[in-house]
Amino acid sequence: MAEYNRVSECVGLITLRNPPVNALSAAVRQGIVDTVQRALSDPNVKSVVICGQNGIFCGGADIKEFGSNMTGPPLIPMIHAIESANKPVVAAIEGSALGGGLELALGCHYRIAHSKARLGLPEVSLGLLPAAGGSQRLPRLIGVPAALNLITTGRHVTAAEALQLGIVDQVTDHNTVDAAVKFALSVAGRSLDPRRISTHPCPQQPDLDALFEEVMQKVRQSARGAIAPIACVQAVRAAATLPYAQGMERERELMATLFTSGQARALQYCFFAERAVGRWRMPSGARWDTSKPRPVHKAAVIGLGTMGRGITVALAQTGLSVIAVETQEKQLMEAKQAISGMLERGAKRRGVAPALDGVIYSQNIQAVADVDLVIEAVFEDIALKTKVFQQLSAVCKPGTLLCTNTSALDVDQLASETPNPELVVGMHFFAPAHVMKLLEVVYGPRSSPQAVATAMQLGKKMGKASVAVGNCRGFVGNRMLKPYIEEAFFLLEEGATPELVDQALEEFGFPMGVFRMSDLSGLDVGWRVRKGDGLVEPGTASGRSARIRQGRRYSPLGDLLCEEGRFGQKTGRGWYQYDKPGSRVARSDPWLHSFLGAYRAQHGLVARRIDHQEVLERCLYALINEGFHILDDGIAAGPEDIDVIYVSGYGWPRHRGGPMFYANMVGLAKVLERLEHYQQLHPEVPHLQPSSLLRRLVASGSPPIHKWGEAIKKLHSQL
Ligand SMILES: CC/C=C\CC(=O)SCCNC(=O)CCNC(=O)[C@H](O)C(C)(C)COP(=O)(O)OP(=O)(O)OC[C@H]1O[C@@H](n2cnc3c(N)ncnc32)[C@H](O)[C@@H]1OP(=O)(O)O
């Protein structure tokens, strides 16, 4: 797993071999130990180069090993042996040097990077810290502020930035290994004392305490309950204030706490889940590896409201040429201005030229005749969308993929309005579409695997976490959101306040509780949907029967607020009050509290004390329960799909892994028991009725989440 060669007569070349990213598995670590020893004991070898095969230096420790008993030589003494070597060791960095990979490079005496390489210590995003000496060496090399920034954010830097920071000694546009060998020859015989980073003191920093105080505060605020960023700050503080050996001891202690934490397990699960959703499969048996995407060179967006504009920007930024269609001239001109502005700002942030010429604007749907794929983003109205789909079917060249950005309408119904339903899929973006990571690719029974493959590939190109899901009301994300919101409404009826519910959810780790989120997205959105469903009844009926609609408990609270014109931030009033319409700072509203009091009195409801635990159990377990229904229905292929959707699109705290992972951590039996408990108390609430899949999983011994797929298949075959 580490190959040894002698090159240029006196350079020992060690090549890490562990595809695809040369992760530091036990075998690779053993290989490094053996080959370094061989190079150091060979009198003909004057210097050593370490590189990785296939254009990548090293993706870090092997994350797959974390869950098991670690064997093989540990990283810390291995890196220490390299740093202590009496011959210069040069790291030749191509592709990536991340985590343990960069820590290995920091143990080398010199680092040469290719100009396209990226370097970083992303352990924090896996719930860890750079504990192979990285938290102690990096601050000594580049200073405390820069090291804090890299280690607490986990961001990857370019070779140019790494050179500027002093992480690498040289950047090359040519063959990195050749450059490193040449460099290794040039430094053979030089004193290595100044090159051993662990022997350096940390560069002096004025007001060290104030700096750490400030960073710790910032990290606590943005971490929302995640423990790794805090441990990262503590480890760097040890580097800045303690001798190296004591700093390493502190690094070890902090890592020991993180390593076995539920947060590290959750974050590592997220890492693999994000990759697993790319290996999509459909109930028909179609799969990612047997379905070839069609090439997409030219795309079109129909309808340039908020969503259409964001989608146009996301497409143009991938380098596609885009036809953006809006039938009204005024709206088209406004959209053009807005899209150009977004493209310019995005390009400035990324340091590239804006793709302004990539977008052609038109009022005429005929302009899309030769595109490969269309994304329809007109108003959420089935009649309007049907008309657009019929027009597109007549105008587009044969084989053009027709995608709808609907968030609520039936993709199958739209597909059935076209002569080629196999070419229709949903592409459900989230606002703002050029920023939000999530994309639900919605297939119907007649969508072809090729159409799904094409939409998934396009999503990947746009940098989205793309998840293929089946067609149903609300797809996956919004379907699960419904019981979560309804439970929050019921809690208000029973005595909670929006502040209490939001605080419980925000302490859990959501960036916004359900009511602050509702104020942000607009209460009128749900009102319109409930009206469409025939749930909204005007009038002042009171009592229990007024709160049972279509045979189930219903809370009209949201409707009543809308009748008052309280649509949230945009009107300056909603579940909270705001200084003015459009303002973002939510303040508690005495009006709302007396309104809730009057509402309860009118309906004969007696307010009771509700604690955070009940808020979490009722809102989150109702949402999770719907997730089990979704799995049972085959709408999501596995729990990873649901978790990626919730973490990347709905603010579920990443360090809790997603709702299904959370259920697995809490224990399926406990989730079932609490749902049964609440269902007994609220028999008129169907979403508290435990899903049969949850019951069956508990009955079969609550298998761990990575075995759910097998268990679900087995349980289905027994039905
Ligand atoms: C004492 C502790 C010391 C050190 C701690 C650490 O080092 S923790 C690990 C730190 N490293 C990372 O966080 C890097 C993780 N990897 C990545 O960011 C990307 O994979 C990378 C290297 C930039 C490559 O990206 P790319 O888009 O090209 O590939 P992809 O992400 O799809 O990965 C390809 C397959 O490789 C698997 N993989 C990647 N990194 C690791 C790893 N460190 N350990 C194990 N496996 C890894 C990844 O899961 C993919 O597998 P697949 O089966 O194809 O889905």
Side-chain angles (χ1 to χ4, degrees):
M1 290 290 198
E3 189 182 275
Y4 181 74
N5 286 294
R6 188 132 63 79
V7 295
S8 298
E9 290 188 12
C10 57
V11 177
L13 177 65
I14 295 171
T15 308
L16 312 186
R17 291 197 188 282
N18 184 15
V21 301
N22 299 321
L24 295 164
S25 63
V28 172
R29 297 195 304 274
Q30 188 62 61
I32 296 174
V33 168
D34 295 345
T35 49
V36 166
Q37 207 172 26
R38 188 165 160 195
L40 297 184
S41 57
D42 182 344
N44 296 315
V45 167
K46 303 290 177 233
S47 44
V48 182
V49 168
I50 303 181
C51 66
Q53 73 168 1
N54 290 340
I56 174 163
F57 181 70
C58 176
D62 188 339
I63 307 166
K64 290 193 186 99
E65 281 186 353
F66 288 169
S68 58
N69 278 341
M70 303 273 274
T71 55
L75 270 178
I76 293 176
M78 181 191 94
I79 294 173
H80 183 71
I82 292 172
E83 192 186 59
S84 317
N86 55 5
K87 299 177 186 177
V89 184
V90 182
I93 301 172
E94 289 177 309
S96 302
L98 298 173
L102 180 54
E103 293 178 289
L104 167 65
L106 291 174
C108 297
H109 306 108
Y110 300 94
R111 288 156 292 281
I112 311 292
H114 189 268
S115 52
K116 293 217 168 90
R118 296 184 82 85
L119 298 86
L121 293 176
E123 285 89 339
V124 69
S125 58
L126 298 169
L128 305 174
L129 61 88
S135 74
Q136 303 304 300
R137 284 196 179 88
L138 193 65
R140 285 177 160 78
L141 183 65
I142 66 173
V144 170
L148 270 173
N149 174 273
L150 258 62
I151 292 174
T152 58
T153 61
R155 76 183 177 92
H156 302 182
V157 298
T158 59
E161 189 179 348
L163 183 66
Q164 196 192 6
L165 287 169
I167 299 176
V168 298
D169 302 286
Q170 200 181 84
V171 173
T172 177
D173 284 326
H174 306 289
N175 184 305
T176 316
V177 176
D178 288 351
V181 169
K182 197 167 152 204
F183 188 90
L185 286 167
S186 73
V187 293
R190 280 202 207 158
S191 162
L192 292 172
D193 288 342
R195 305 302 309 177
R196 297 190 175 106
I197 299 171
S198 72
T199 63
H200 298 185
C202 245
Q204 288 290 314
Q205 177 69 36
D207 279 337
L208 204 57
D209 285 340
L211 171 72
F212 277 106
E213 183 73 17
E214 188 193 321
V215 175
M216 190 58 107
Q217 250 184 35
K218 213 165 109 190
V219 160
R220 273 191 212 284
Q221 244 169 28
S222 58
R224 294 194 280 121
I227 54 176
I230 292 162
C232 286
V233 178
Q234 290 168 329
V236 176
R237 190 182 183 105
T241 53
L242 297 174
Y244 176 75
Q246 284 176 39
M248 286 298 286
E249 183 51 26
R250 184 79 182 118
E251 183 190 87
R252 192 193 60 73
E253 285 164 10
L254 289 163
M255 179 66 160
T257 315
L258 295 180
F259 199 71
T260 49
S261 71
Q263 294 197 3
R265 278 173 59 198
L267 288 159
Q268 288 155 31
Y269 164 83
C270 285
F271 176 85
F272 289 115
E274 278 160 1
R275 282 148 184 85
V277 297
R279 296 188 284 270
W280 56 271
R281 56 194 192 277
M282 290 159 66
S284 62
R287 302 159 46 101
W288 65 285
D289 51 353
T290 51
S291 312
K292 196 163 174 256
R294 297 171 81 103
V296 177
H297 304 294
K298 200 167 178 184
V301 179
I302 313 291
L304 300 180
T306 311
M307 290 309 292
R309 293 175 191 186
I311 296 168
T312 304
V313 171
L315 289 169
Q317 282 177 344
T318 65
L320 284 181
S321 89
V322 187
I323 314 282
V325 178
E326 173 62 63
T327 49
Q328 304 299 314
E329 189 182 356
K330 184 166 171 284
Q331 273 95 319
L332 184 70
M333 287 305 119
E334 283 170 5
K336 182 174 178 179
Q337 205 179 5
I339 290 167
S340 303
M342 288 192 268
L343 284 171
E344 273 163 2
R345 285 190 295 278
K348 195 170 166 198
R349 250 192 326 275
R350 288 177 297 141
V352 295
L356 297 175
D357 295 344
V359 186
I360 294 167
Y361 298 86
S362 174
Q363 274 179 266
N364 191 347
I365 203 161
Q366 301 284 343
V368 308
D370 67 341
V371 302
D372 306 302
L373 176 145
V374 185
I375 302 177
E376 162 282 304
V378 301
F379 192 69
E380 280 290 88
D381 174 73
I382 190 76
L384 177 62
K385 287 192 190 270
T386 303
K387 190 171 146 214
V388 170
F389 265 66
Q390 285 165 345
Q391 286 174 326
L392 289 171
S393 304
V395 164
C396 293
K397 68 181 181 189
T400 300
L401 212 69
L402 303 183
C403 310
T404 170
N405 175 51
T406 182
S407 58
L409 301 174
D410 185 349
V411 175
D412 296 340
Q413 191 181 339
L414 281 172
S416 66
E417 302 292 344
T418 75
N420 301 100
E422 72 282 2
L423 294 174
V424 176
V425 289
M427 286 184 87
H428 180 206
F429 289 83
F430 291 73
H434 59 303
V435 176
M436 288 292 286
K437 280 286 282 180
L438 178 60
L439 174 69
E440 284 180 319
V441 171
V442 186
Y443 56 79
R446 288 188 285 177
S447 307
S448 72
Q450 194 178 37
V452 177
T454 309
M456 287 293 284
Q457 191 189 53
L458 183 59
K460 193 171 175 190
K461 270 198 190 148
M462 287 187 278
K464 305 286 178 201
S466 312
V467 187
V469 299
N471 180 34
C472 67
R473 183 82 195 269
F475 314 134
V476 169
N478 288 345
R479 176 169 159 183
M480 288 170 69
L481 203 59
K482 189 165 177 272
Y484 166 83
I485 294 173
E486 282 182 353
E487 277 306 310
F489 284 12
F490 297 159
L491 286 162
L492 293 193
E493 292 184 335
E494 292 165 36
T497 58
E499 292 82 350
L500 176 107
V501 174
D502 282 353
Q503 197 191 358
L505 294 168
E506 287 163 19
E507 278 175 13
F508 179 79
F510 282 98
M512 269 186 220
V514 58
F515 293 107
R516 288 216 294 138
M517 180 49 92
S518 163
D519 272 0
L520 173 68
S521 48
L523 275 72
D524 51 323
V525 179
W527 193 32
R528 207 178 311 122
V529 175
R530 293 190 296 274
K531 276 183 182 170
D533 289 344
L535 282 162
V536 176
E537 289 174 5
T540 51
S542 59
R544 186 174 171 276
S545 60
R547 291 179 292 106
I548 298 287
R549 296 196 189 161
Q550 299 178 357
R552 47 186 290 175
R553 181 172 172 184
Y554 179 79
S555 169
L557 279 171
D559 307 336
L560 295 172
L561 258 62
C562 287
E563 281 171 21
E564 295 284 331
R566 298 179 70 107
F567 292 167
Q569 285 184 7
K570 59 184 157 194
T571 56
R573 297 273 184 281
W575 301 104
Y576 295 92
Q577 57 175 328
Y578 300 84
D579 287 343
K580 55 178 192 305
S583 155
R584 301 209 152 210
V585 183
R587 283 188 293 112
S588 185
D589 189 348
W591 180 92
L592 196 275
H593 295 134
S594 41
F595 161 79
L596 285 176
Y599 172 87
R600 290 185 199 116
Q602 185 193 347
H603 287 271
L605 292 159
V606 180
R608 61 183 175 82
R609 228 183 94 75
I610 289 169
D611 61 14
H612 281 198
Q613 188 181 343
E614 180 171 353
V615 172
L616 293 182
E617 287 181 347
R618 288 199 32 205
C619 293
L620 302 185
Y621 292 176
L623 176 149
I624 287 166
N625 196 36
E626 197 60 40
F628 281 111
H629 283 299
I630 284 171
L631 286 176
D632 214 6
D633 296 349
I635 295 293
E640 295 88 353
D641 300 76
I642 296 178
D643 287 334
V644 169
I645 286 172
Y646 259 79
V647 168
S648 48
Y650 289 83
W652 185 282
R654 196 177 165 86
H655 62 268
R656 292 193 191 265
M660 308 320 282
F661 182 85
Y662 179 68
N664 175 67
M665 289 288 269
V666 169
L668 299 188
K670 162 106 190 278
V671 175
L672 176 60
E673 182 268 308
R674 297 316 288 159
L675 280 167
E676 282 173 338
H677 167 79
Y678 290 117
Q679 219 260 317
Q680 268 177 8
L681 296 175
H682 308 282
E684 70 289 14
V685 181
H687 62 231
L688 290 173
Q689 170 109 39
S691 93
S692 90
L693 175 61
L694 173 60
R695 284 189 191 287
R696 285 180 282 140
L697 284 171
V698 172
S700 68
S702 298
I705 194 161
H706 63 275
K707 298 234 164 97
W708 287 7
E710 269 166 55
I712 294 169
K713 233 190 268 166
K714 205 162 134 204
L715 295 169
H716 277 166
S717 69
Q718 285 164 359
L719 283 178

